[in-house]
mmCIF file of all heavy atoms in Angstrom:
data_model
loop_
_atom_site.group_PDB
_atom_site.id
_atom_site.type_symbol
_atom_site.label_atom_id
_atom_site.label_comp_id
_atom_site.label_asym_id
_atom_site.label_seq_id
_atom_site.Cartn_x
_atom_site.Cartn_y
_atom_site.Cartn_z
ATOM 1 N N GLY Y 1 -12.900 -29.274 12.296
ATOM 2 C CA GLY Y 1 -12.923 -30.534 12.892
ATOM 3 C C GLY Y 1 -14.349 -30.819 13.484
ATOM 4 O O GLY Y 1 -15.297 -29.997 13.317
ATOM 5 N N THR Y 2 -14.337 -31.775 14.271
ATOM 6 C CA THR Y 2 -15.577 -32.170 15.070
ATOM 7 C C THR Y 2 -15.285 -32.304 16.492
ATOM 8 O O THR Y 2 -14.093 -32.759 16.853
ATOM 9 C CB THR Y 2 -16.144 -33.542 14.543
ATOM 10 O OG1 THR Y 2 -15.281 -34.589 14.634
ATOM 11 C CG2 THR Y 2 -16.683 -33.430 13.052
ATOM 12 N N VAL Y 3 -16.158 -32.070 17.387
ATOM 13 C CA VAL Y 3 -16.034 -32.190 18.810
ATOM 14 C C VAL Y 3 -17.509 -32.312 19.389
ATOM 15 O O VAL Y 3 -18.478 -31.941 18.875
ATOM 16 C CB VAL Y 3 -15.318 -30.871 19.352
ATOM 17 C CG1 VAL Y 3 -16.222 -29.611 19.153
ATOM 18 C CG2 VAL Y 3 -14.899 -31.070 20.807
ATOM 19 N N ALA Y 4 -17.485 -32.972 20.577
ATOM 20 C CA ALA Y 4 -18.631 -33.038 21.318
ATOM 21 C C ALA Y 4 -19.211 -31.624 21.658
ATOM 22 O O ALA Y 4 -18.134 -30.857 22.021
ATOM 23 C CB ALA Y 4 -18.474 -33.999 22.577
ATOM 24 N N GLU Y 5 -20.322 -31.377 21.556
ATOM 25 C CA GLU Y 5 -20.891 -29.943 21.809
ATOM 26 C C GLU Y 5 -20.484 -29.392 23.102
ATOM 27 O O GLU Y 5 -20.104 -28.189 23.259
ATOM 28 C CB GLU Y 5 -22.392 -29.923 21.601
ATOM 29 C CG GLU Y 5 -22.869 -28.498 21.598
ATOM 30 C CD GLU Y 5 -24.273 -28.380 21.102
ATOM 31 O OE1 GLU Y 5 -25.005 -29.516 20.999
ATOM 32 O OE2 GLU Y 5 -24.802 -27.288 20.869
ATOM 33 N N ASP Y 6 -20.503 -30.205 24.173
ATOM 34 C CA ASP Y 6 -20.151 -29.788 25.504
ATOM 35 C C ASP Y 6 -18.631 -29.593 25.799
ATOM 36 O O ASP Y 6 -18.274 -29.008 26.749
ATOM 37 C CB ASP Y 6 -20.756 -30.688 26.587
ATOM 38 C CG ASP Y 6 -20.143 -32.138 26.622
ATOM 39 O OD1 ASP Y 6 -19.396 -32.454 25.605
ATOM 40 O OD2 ASP Y 6 -20.415 -32.979 27.458
ATOM 41 N N ARG Y 7 -17.839 -29.810 24.706
ATOM 42 C CA ARG Y 7 -16.396 -29.538 24.767
ATOM 43 C C ARG Y 7 -16.112 -28.248 24.145
ATOM 44 O O ARG Y 7 -14.827 -27.894 24.279
ATOM 45 C CB ARG Y 7 -15.632 -30.804 24.183
ATOM 46 C CG ARG Y 7 -15.784 -32.164 24.755
ATOM 47 C CD ARG Y 7 -15.278 -32.139 26.285
ATOM 48 N NE ARG Y 7 -13.887 -31.933 26.298
ATOM 49 C CZ ARG Y 7 -13.236 -31.561 27.364
ATOM 50 N NH1 ARG Y 7 -13.910 -31.371 28.468
ATOM 51 N NH2 ARG Y 7 -11.962 -31.242 27.375
ATOM 52 N N ILE Y 8 -16.934 -27.574 23.575
ATOM 53 C CA ILE Y 8 -16.572 -26.269 22.918
ATOM 54 C C ILE Y 8 -15.923 -25.295 23.922
ATOM 55 O O ILE Y 8 -14.992 -24.659 23.511
ATOM 56 C CB ILE Y 8 -17.839 -25.643 22.170
ATOM 57 C CG1 ILE Y 8 -18.093 -26.694 20.928
ATOM 58 C CG2 ILE Y 8 -17.545 -24.281 21.805
ATOM 59 C CD1 ILE Y 8 -19.418 -26.223 20.116
ATOM 60 N N PRO Y 9 -16.399 -25.157 24.945
ATOM 61 C CA PRO Y 9 -15.788 -24.267 25.999
ATOM 62 C C PRO Y 9 -14.260 -24.622 26.188
ATOM 63 O O PRO Y 9 -13.412 -23.756 26.489
ATOM 64 C CB PRO Y 9 -16.661 -24.323 27.309
ATOM 65 C CG PRO Y 9 -17.955 -24.665 26.821
ATOM 66 C CD PRO Y 9 -17.731 -25.659 25.625
ATOM 67 N N ALA Y 10 -14.003 -25.918 26.223
ATOM 68 C CA ALA Y 10 -12.617 -26.249 26.419
ATOM 69 C C ALA Y 10 -11.653 -25.877 25.249
ATOM 70 O O ALA Y 10 -10.600 -25.524 25.448
ATOM 71 C CB ALA Y 10 -12.570 -27.798 26.612
ATOM 72 N N LEU Y 11 -12.376 -25.919 24.042
ATOM 73 C CA LEU Y 11 -11.608 -25.481 22.782
ATOM 74 C C LEU Y 11 -11.281 -23.954 22.824
ATOM 75 O O LEU Y 11 -10.154 -23.461 22.594
ATOM 76 C CB LEU Y 11 -12.345 -25.719 21.608
ATOM 77 C CG LEU Y 11 -12.665 -27.201 21.282
ATOM 78 C CD1 LEU Y 11 -13.429 -27.329 20.013
ATOM 79 C CD2 LEU Y 11 -11.576 -28.216 21.340
ATOM 80 N N GLU Y 12 -12.331 -23.241 23.386
ATOM 81 C CA GLU Y 12 -12.244 -21.662 23.402
ATOM 82 C C GLU Y 12 -11.318 -21.263 24.501
ATOM 83 O O GLU Y 12 -10.604 -20.270 24.298
ATOM 84 C CB GLU Y 12 -13.638 -21.169 23.838
ATOM 85 C CG GLU Y 12 -14.640 -21.324 22.761
ATOM 86 C CD GLU Y 12 -16.031 -20.990 23.045
ATOM 87 O OE1 GLU Y 12 -16.408 -21.078 24.312
ATOM 88 O OE2 GLU Y 12 -16.785 -20.565 22.290
ATOM 89 N N ALA Y 13 -10.905 -22.110 25.411
ATOM 90 C CA ALA Y 13 -9.946 -21.801 26.465
ATOM 91 C C ALA Y 13 -8.478 -22.082 26.057
ATOM 92 O O ALA Y 13 -7.663 -21.716 26.836
ATOM 93 C CB ALA Y 13 -10.259 -22.626 27.770
ATOM 94 N N VAL Y 14 -8.323 -22.682 24.933
ATOM 95 C CA VAL Y 14 -6.885 -23.081 24.481
ATOM 96 C C VAL Y 14 -6.204 -21.838 24.064
ATOM 97 O O VAL Y 14 -6.651 -20.973 23.342
ATOM 98 C CB VAL Y 14 -6.876 -24.043 23.382
ATOM 99 C CG1 VAL Y 14 -5.514 -24.169 22.785
ATOM 100 C CG2 VAL Y 14 -7.439 -25.453 23.741
ATOM 101 N N ASP Y 15 -4.955 -21.606 24.592
ATOM 102 C CA ASP Y 15 -4.144 -20.506 24.250
ATOM 103 C C ASP Y 15 -3.894 -20.509 22.559
ATOM 104 O O ASP Y 15 -3.520 -21.506 22.172
ATOM 105 C CB ASP Y 15 -2.729 -20.592 24.911
ATOM 106 C CG ASP Y 15 -2.811 -20.114 26.336
ATOM 107 O OD1 ASP Y 15 -3.866 -19.383 26.776
ATOM 108 O OD2 ASP Y 15 -1.969 -20.457 27.270
ATOM 109 N N GLY Y 16 -4.084 -19.261 22.109
ATOM 110 C CA GLY Y 16 -3.906 -19.207 20.716
ATOM 111 C C GLY Y 16 -5.182 -19.299 19.817
ATOM 112 O O GLY Y 16 -5.145 -18.904 18.688
ATOM 113 N N VAL Y 17 -6.189 -19.812 20.472
ATOM 114 C CA VAL Y 17 -7.583 -19.931 19.865
ATOM 115 C C VAL Y 17 -8.233 -18.459 19.834
ATOM 116 O O VAL Y 17 -8.342 -17.928 20.949
ATOM 117 C CB VAL Y 17 -8.474 -20.937 20.455
ATOM 118 C CG1 VAL Y 17 -9.889 -20.853 19.850
ATOM 119 C CG2 VAL Y 17 -7.781 -22.361 20.276
ATOM 120 N N GLU Y 18 -8.483 -18.014 18.613
ATOM 121 C CA GLU Y 18 -9.096 -16.718 18.604
ATOM 122 C C GLU Y 18 -10.623 -16.833 18.520
ATOM 123 O O GLU Y 18 -11.416 -15.940 18.979
ATOM 124 C CB GLU Y 18 -8.613 -15.819 17.380
ATOM 125 C CG GLU Y 18 -7.155 -15.661 17.551
ATOM 126 C CD GLU Y 18 -6.409 -15.112 16.344
ATOM 127 O OE1 GLU Y 18 -7.088 -15.084 15.332
ATOM 128 O OE2 GLU Y 18 -5.338 -14.824 16.428
ATOM 129 N N SER Y 19 -11.152 -17.861 17.777
ATOM 130 C CA SER Y 19 -12.771 -18.078 17.803
ATOM 131 C C SER Y 19 -12.942 -19.446 17.484
ATOM 132 O O SER Y 19 -12.200 -20.180 16.868
ATOM 133 C CB SER Y 19 -13.299 -17.163 16.774
ATOM 134 O OG SER Y 19 -12.854 -17.431 15.402
ATOM 135 N N VAL Y 20 -14.132 -19.929 17.889
ATOM 136 C CA VAL Y 20 -14.632 -21.234 17.552
ATOM 137 C C VAL Y 20 -16.143 -21.012 17.072
ATOM 138 O O VAL Y 20 -16.797 -20.576 17.843
ATOM 139 C CB VAL Y 20 -14.713 -22.187 18.835
ATOM 140 C CG1 VAL Y 20 -15.239 -23.596 18.522
ATOM 141 C CG2 VAL Y 20 -13.305 -22.341 19.395
ATOM 142 N N ASP Y 21 -16.348 -21.419 15.861
ATOM 143 C CA ASP Y 21 -17.689 -21.330 15.337
ATOM 144 C C ASP Y 21 -18.194 -22.601 14.808
ATOM 145 O O ASP Y 21 -17.395 -23.487 14.308
ATOM 146 C CB ASP Y 21 -17.716 -20.353 14.108
ATOM 147 C CG ASP Y 21 -17.300 -18.854 14.565
ATOM 148 O OD1 ASP Y 21 -18.072 -18.370 15.259
ATOM 149 O OD2 ASP Y 21 -16.261 -18.357 14.037
ATOM 150 N N ARG Y 22 -19.490 -22.880 15.018
ATOM 151 C CA ARG Y 22 -20.104 -24.069 14.435
ATOM 152 C C ARG Y 22 -20.196 -24.066 12.918
ATOM 153 O O ARG Y 22 -20.339 -22.947 12.423
ATOM 154 C CB ARG Y 22 -21.494 -24.289 14.922
ATOM 155 C CG ARG Y 22 -21.622 -24.619 16.326
ATOM 156 C CD ARG Y 22 -23.033 -24.824 16.683
ATOM 157 N NE ARG Y 22 -23.182 -25.197 18.119
ATOM 158 C CZ ARG Y 22 -24.190 -25.980 18.425
ATOM 159 N NH1 ARG Y 22 -25.049 -26.328 17.638
ATOM 160 N NH2 ARG Y 22 -24.245 -26.280 19.609
ATOM 161 N N GLU Y 23 -19.933 -25.177 12.254
ATOM 162 C CA GLU Y 23 -20.006 -25.198 10.758
ATOM 163 C C GLU Y 23 -21.549 -25.093 10.561
ATOM 164 O O GLU Y 23 -22.342 -25.440 11.234
ATOM 165 C CB GLU Y 23 -19.557 -26.520 10.240
ATOM 166 C CG GLU Y 23 -18.065 -26.706 10.144
ATOM 167 C CD GLU Y 23 -17.656 -27.901 9.428
ATOM 168 O OE1 GLU Y 23 -18.390 -28.785 9.223
ATOM 169 O OE2 GLU Y 23 -16.493 -27.883 9.085
ATOM 170 N N ARG Y 24 -21.774 -24.228 9.497
ATOM 171 C CA ARG Y 24 -23.205 -24.215 8.994
ATOM 172 C C ARG Y 24 -23.426 -24.717 7.605
ATOM 173 O O ARG Y 24 -22.468 -24.445 6.765
ATOM 174 C CB ARG Y 24 -23.543 -22.708 9.125
ATOM 175 C CG ARG Y 24 -23.726 -22.246 10.531
ATOM 176 C CD ARG Y 24 -23.995 -20.740 10.639
ATOM 177 N NE ARG Y 24 -24.284 -20.401 11.986
ATOM 178 C CZ ARG Y 24 -23.416 -20.107 12.838
ATOM 179 N NH1 ARG Y 24 -22.213 -20.346 12.546
ATOM 180 N NH2 ARG Y 24 -23.723 -19.698 14.014
ATOM 181 N N THR Y 25 -24.485 -25.411 7.362
ATOM 182 C CA THR Y 25 -24.834 -25.737 5.921
ATOM 183 C C THR Y 25 -25.710 -24.751 5.416
ATOM 184 O O THR Y 25 -26.812 -24.378 5.976
ATOM 185 C CB THR Y 25 -25.286 -27.152 5.818
ATOM 186 O OG1 THR Y 25 -25.586 -27.671 7.180
ATOM 187 C CG2 THR Y 25 -24.437 -28.135 5.279
ATOM 188 N N ILE Y 26 -25.606 -24.528 4.069
ATOM 189 C CA ILE Y 26 -26.521 -23.520 3.464
ATOM 190 C C ILE Y 26 -27.175 -24.351 2.348
ATOM 191 O O ILE Y 26 -26.601 -24.994 1.497
ATOM 192 C CB ILE Y 26 -25.821 -22.331 2.931
ATOM 193 C CG1 ILE Y 26 -25.314 -21.525 4.139
ATOM 194 C CG2 ILE Y 26 -26.796 -21.439 2.130
ATOM 195 C CD1 ILE Y 26 -24.214 -20.417 3.552
ATOM 196 N N GLN Y 27 -28.528 -24.392 2.237
ATOM 197 C CA GLN Y 27 -29.258 -24.975 1.144
ATOM 198 C C GLN Y 27 -29.547 -24.021 0.072
ATOM 199 O O GLN Y 27 -30.082 -22.937 0.300
ATOM 200 C CB GLN Y 27 -30.553 -25.545 1.689
ATOM 201 C CG GLN Y 27 -30.479 -26.660 2.677
ATOM 202 C CD GLN Y 27 -30.284 -27.975 1.972
ATOM 203 O OE1 GLN Y 27 -30.612 -28.153 0.770
ATOM 204 N NE2 GLN Y 27 -29.642 -29.003 2.596
ATOM 205 N N LEU Y 28 -28.978 -24.301 -1.133
ATOM 206 C CA LEU Y 28 -29.241 -23.355 -2.173
ATOM 207 C C LEU Y 28 -30.353 -23.840 -3.047
ATOM 208 O O LEU Y 28 -30.417 -25.085 -3.209
ATOM 209 C CB LEU Y 28 -27.894 -23.172 -3.038
ATOM 210 C CG LEU Y 28 -26.797 -22.655 -2.394
ATOM 211 C CD1 LEU Y 28 -25.526 -22.638 -3.360
ATOM 212 C CD2 LEU Y 28 -27.062 -21.247 -2.018
ATOM 213 N N PRO Y 29 -31.198 -22.989 -3.527
ATOM 214 C CA PRO Y 29 -32.149 -23.473 -4.483
ATOM 215 C C PRO Y 29 -31.669 -24.106 -5.745
ATOM 216 O O PRO Y 29 -30.597 -23.710 -6.159
ATOM 217 C CB PRO Y 29 -33.146 -22.232 -4.817
ATOM 218 C CG PRO Y 29 -32.153 -21.140 -4.508
ATOM 219 C CD PRO Y 29 -31.187 -21.559 -3.478
ATOM 220 N N PRO Y 30 -32.370 -25.040 -6.321
ATOM 221 C CA PRO Y 30 -31.832 -25.577 -7.561
ATOM 222 C C PRO Y 30 -31.802 -24.464 -8.708
ATOM 223 O O PRO Y 30 -32.532 -23.563 -8.480
ATOM 224 C CB PRO Y 30 -32.889 -26.674 -7.936
ATOM 225 C CG PRO Y 30 -33.930 -26.576 -7.004
ATOM 226 C CD PRO Y 30 -33.634 -25.612 -5.941
ATOM 227 N N SER Y 31 -31.113 -24.750 -9.650
ATOM 228 C CA SER Y 31 -30.783 -23.683 -10.781
ATOM 229 C C SER Y 31 -32.104 -23.279 -11.547
ATOM 230 O O SER Y 31 -32.214 -22.265 -12.088
ATOM 231 C CB SER Y 31 -29.707 -24.045 -11.639
ATOM 232 O OG SER Y 31 -30.160 -25.260 -12.248
ATOM 233 N N ASP Y 32 -33.019 -24.193 -11.583
ATOM 234 C CA ASP Y 32 -34.300 -23.921 -12.185
ATOM 235 C C ASP Y 32 -35.283 -23.435 -11.264
ATOM 236 O O ASP Y 32 -36.489 -23.156 -11.790
ATOM 237 C CB ASP Y 32 -34.739 -25.184 -12.998
ATOM 238 C CG ASP Y 32 -35.145 -26.417 -12.062
ATOM 239 O OD1 ASP Y 32 -34.760 -26.291 -10.863
ATOM 240 O OD2 ASP Y 32 -35.710 -27.297 -12.592
ATOM 241 N N SER Y 33 -35.058 -23.009 -10.161
ATOM 242 C CA SER Y 33 -35.954 -22.563 -9.183
ATOM 243 C C SER Y 33 -36.302 -21.158 -9.487
ATOM 244 O O SER Y 33 -35.441 -20.406 -9.939
ATOM 245 C CB SER Y 33 -35.438 -22.600 -7.682
ATOM 246 O OG SER Y 33 -36.105 -21.948 -6.827
#
């Protein structure tokens, strides 16, 4: 999902939540690279 960055600690505090990680985008080189 999405959340305001400053609300991440509130997500981490919810019972049952084991981890909260930011989504990361990976740039792959083109196939002819």
Side-chain angles (χ1 to χ4, degrees):
T2 57
V3 67
E5 189 168 9
D6 62 354
R7 299 295 299 159
I8 291 176
L11 302 183
E12 294 171 330
V14 170
D15 284 337
V17 171
E18 296 170 354
S19 68
V20 178
D21 296 300
R22 287 179 178 214
E23 283 186 347
R24 291 177 172 80
T25 5
I26 299 172
Q27 292 278 339
L28 297 176
S31 59
D32 61 348
S33 170

